[in-house]
Amino acid sequence: MSIILYGAALSPFVRKADAFLREKGAEFELESVNIMPMPDWFKEISPARRIPVLRDTEVGSEGPLGTIPDSSAICAYAERKFPEPALYPSDPYDHGRAVWFEEYCDSELAGAIGMGIFRPIQFSRFQGKEPDVATAKKTYAEKLPRPLDYLEGEIGSSGFLVGESLSIADISIACQLVQLELVAGPLDAARWPGVAGLVERLAKRASFAPCIAICRKIVKQDPVDLAS
Ligand SMILES: N[C@@H](CCC(=O)N[C@@H](CS)C(=O)NCC(=O)O)C(=O)O
């Protein structure tokens, strides 16, 4: 197999690259890397010390040659390597918007969900501690509504963020919200119907389902109710 994706299913950024490659119908292998602590061989190919990193063995099979770090760079690479189906719109404005949503979800949404909710709940559990529900509830109440309200208003009548078909924008939002769902249950569909519907549809796709199934086996505990 020429493509290897290094990472761990529980990372929303690995999930993004994984789902993107699956939507492309690309053959690849997800090779698990434990980053706590990060092995030396992986540090050599991950200058930012983060997962995911992709290796294309047709380009190089050892060391940094043939590797691409960062989910956004990986998706941009995969779009060129496997052009069909296109997951970045060809229209210049739509393309710009899709890249913007990718960036927004990877930064604003990921920051609130990852640092403010997932870590306080799940990392505490991994360490054998009680989940820090107070921090997660505060984030849910104070930091999550603004990005979700914004994204809710951007979802078109097609049910997608940009244009009439699935794009990197939809994959990016779903990857982060699956992270929320793993520890806090489904998003409030009465408050954010467009976002909740989009995530529900994507989570059922063959591109997302395998990774989510692995994550559910890792996160065994019942979701924490953050809304009350
Ligand atoms: N911008 C990066 C972010 C990747 C990232 O933050 N990955 C996390 C896991 S979810 C990581 O590797 N963290 C390592 C650490 O915090 O030590 C991307 O899109 O790939």
Side-chain angles (χ1 to χ4, degrees):
M1 200 153 317
S2 78
I3 303 283
I4 303 168
L5 182 64
Y6 297 110
L10 212 51
S11 157
F13 301 100
V14 174
R15 188 175 306 132
K16 180 180 149 204
D18 183 279
F20 193 93
L21 288 165
R22 288 178 197 273
E23 285 290 341
K24 290 283 181 185
E27 273 194 39
F28 71 102
E29 183 189 336
L30 176 61
E31 193 173 312
S32 188
V33 177
N34 184 350
I35 56 168
M36 290 185 284
M38 194 167 273
D40 287 343
W41 69 265
F42 188 72
K43 286 183 186 162
E44 202 195 339
I45 60 170
S46 181
R49 303 284 191 265
R50 289 179 187 275
I51 50 173
V53 172
L54 176 142
R55 178 182 291 287
D56 187 341
T57 60
E58 282 178 4
V59 182
S61 49
E62 267 181 46
L65 183 68
T67 63
I68 306 274
D70 190 276
S71 67
S72 299
I74 291 169
C75 292
Y77 179 72
E79 182 75 359
R80 292 287 174 97
K81 176 109 184 165
F82 310 104
E84 297 297 332
L87 292 173
Y88 286 84
S90 56
D91 173 78
Y93 185 64
D94 282 353
H95 186 275
R97 271 171 55 78
V99 171
W100 154 244
F101 288 126
E102 178 182 18
E103 167 56 26
Y104 186 75
C105 293
D106 285 3
S107 53
E108 292 280 318
L109 210 50
I113 294 172
M115 301 306 288
I117 296 175
F118 191 83
R119 274 179 188 245
I121 294 178
Q122 195 56 34
F123 279 39
S124 301
R125 287 171 172 164
F126 283 151
Q127 292 163 358
K129 297 184 203 153
E130 282 299 306
D132 178 1
V133 176
T135 299
K137 278 192 171 183
K138 190 169 160 60
T139 306
Y140 188 86
E142 295 175 10
K143 293 203 177 137
L144 212 50
R146 191 176 54 81
L148 289 180
D149 286 349
Y150 165 63
L151 290 164
E152 180 70 27
E154 295 297 315
I155 294 177
S157 54
S158 63
F160 297 109
L161 270 166
V162 181
E164 304 292 315
S165 59
L166 182 79
S167 77
I168 184 66
D170 309 303
I171 293 174
S172 302
I173 189 175
C175 287
Q176 298 303 332
L177 288 168
V178 162
Q179 200 75 351
L180 175 71
E181 192 170 322
L182 283 167
V183 293
L187 197 62
D188 181 351
R191 187 165 177 189
W192 296 291
V195 176
L198 175 60
V199 175
E200 194 186 346
R201 287 197 310 280
L202 260 69
K204 288 186 188 142
R205 288 175 84 96
S207 57
F208 272 82
C211 195
I212 295 175
I214 296 172
C215 293
R216 291 226 166 96
K217 281 192 186 151
I218 302 171
V219 181
K220 299 185 195 80
Q221 292 92 338
D222 288 337
V224 179
D225 178 11
L226 298 179
S228 61

